Amino acid sequence: MIDARNITKTFGGISAIRDCSLRVREGTITGLIGPNGAGKTTLFNVMAGFFAPDSGHILFRGEDVTGMSPHRLFERGLMRTFQIPRVFDRMTVRENLMVVPSGQSGENVLAAWFAHRRVRAQDLAIARRADEVIAFLGLGPVAGQLAGTLSGGQKKLVELGRTMMSDCRTILLDEPGAGVNRTLLNELVANIRRLNRELGFTFCIIEHDMDVVAQLCDPVIVMAEGRVIAEGRFDEVRRDRTVIDAYFGHGEAEPAGRDA
């Protein structure tokens, strides 16, 4: 699904990623973990089109999309979320979902003036889809609430809902567990799993909460110092000596538990 080949990205002469390669297979929930400064977010930004690599290539569904803009990647089915949810604070939850589908007739001035029936029909269809997503994610009680008043965990659910409103089926999730209480985190994990199993979504997830990684991710890819150092099942990589040294320096422990 995603094939990052020999990616290098530097900032001011400092290498954030060095000759880094990884693959995200279709239908998986792939975890991307590593200590702070490992290059995970930079690699996400390169894969999602926010940064162009200094060298290397990104392939998506076999097509070379290196340096392609985020909106063009979105049109091809690849979407990135952020650690801090980016909702429209002064719009309701339902409205936040309804703005996602591209090519809406109402966005065209002439259609808005002269094609009322078509615009109205499309708006109703999008509203029905938004209500289906709201029901799927259990957001009914806050559907009419301004998104800016929601908790961090609820905003993460809204962001997940916005992925469902698009045609994207490959999602780069940046720390979905960050700042989320355990109750909402359990809901978020369950919904990611349902999207994967029931609707065929492919996920690549950056996450520091090892409990979330253990529950969701297979395979798990480990980065350190701008490159991939291990890949496999979670119970395998957590015992890998190279991974232990990358996290703790002396191989005296292993990454496990929340925020490891």
Side-chain angles (χ1 to χ4, degrees):
M1 185 64 75
I2 303 175
D3 189 357
R5 299 181 178 177
N6 307 110
I7 302 298
T8 294
K9 181 65 182 177
T10 61
F11 299 95
I14 299 174
S15 295
I17 311 173
R18 300 180 299 160
D19 195 29
C20 182
S21 298
L22 63 79
R23 289 181 177 179
V24 177
R25 297 192 305 275
E26 186 172 4
T28 64
I29 303 177
T30 298
L32 183 60
I33 68 172
N36 291 331
K40 304 182 298 296
T41 299
T42 300
L43 183 59
F44 251 38
N45 284 329
V46 170
M47 291 193 296
F50 289 90
F51 297 152
D54 298 330
S55 62
H57 297 274
I58 301 291
L59 277 68
F60 179 60
R61 294 185 177 274
E63 176 187 5
D64 192 333
V65 296
T66 309
M68 190 173 288
S69 64
H71 77 271
R72 290 181 63 195
L73 289 171
F74 177 84
E75 292 170 353
R76 283 164 170 76
L78 176 64
M79 183 175 182
R80 183 215 200 283
T81 69
F82 294 86
Q83 178 181 350
I84 299 174
R86 300 184 176 185
V87 299
F88 296 105
D89 288 344
R90 297 186 180 182
M91 298 174 69
T92 68
V93 168
R94 182 178 285 105
E95 289 167 343
N96 265 268
L97 300 184
M98 290 182 64
V99 299
V100 173
S102 58
Q104 296 189 40
S105 299
E107 296 173 351
N108 182 290
V109 174
L110 291 178
W113 276 94
F114 301 111
H116 303 291
R117 290 185 179 179
R118 186 177 72 198
V119 171
R120 178 61 176 165
Q122 188 178 54
D123 284 348
L124 289 173
I126 292 173
R128 285 194 295 270
R129 175 60 180 154
D131 286 339
E132 291 172 359
V133 171
I134 287 167
F136 184 95
L137 297 175
L139 287 169
V142 296
Q145 193 169 319
L146 295 180
T149 66
L150 302 180
S151 70
Q154 290 171 323
K155 289 178 181 178
K156 291 285 180 77
L157 285 172
V158 172
E159 194 159 66
L160 191 61
R162 292 197 298 196
T163 70
M164 296 176 64
M165 291 294 296
S166 73
D167 292 327
C168 296
R169 289 298 179 268
T170 305
I171 314 297
L172 304 177
L173 286 179
D174 192 349
E175 296 197 41
V180 181
N181 68 58
R182 298 310 291 185
T183 299
L184 279 175
L185 182 57
N186 290 336
E187 291 183 24
L188 191 62
V189 166
N191 281 312
I192 292 171
R193 186 179 289 117
R194 288 181 64 199
L195 287 173
N196 173 254
R197 293 179 178 177
E198 298 177 17
L199 300 180
F201 278 62
T202 298
F203 291 97
C204 184
I205 302 176
I206 293 177
E207 186 54 68
H208 285 284
D209 188 325
M210 295 297 109
D211 292 335
V212 171
V213 174
Q215 289 181 63
L216 275 179
C217 301
D218 182 20
V220 175
I221 299 171
V222 188
M223 289 185 65
E225 298 181 350
R227 60 188 180 88
V228 171
I229 61 171
E231 179 176 353
R233 296 179 60 86
F234 177 74
D235 58 354
E236 296 169 345
V237 300
R238 72 188 299 214
R239 292 176 173 83
D240 186 292
R241 181 61 57 183
T242 305
V243 175
I244 293 170
D245 288 344
Y247 270 94
F248 298 100
H250 303 291
E252 296 175 353
E254 59 186 36
R258 185 170 175 82
D259 297 327

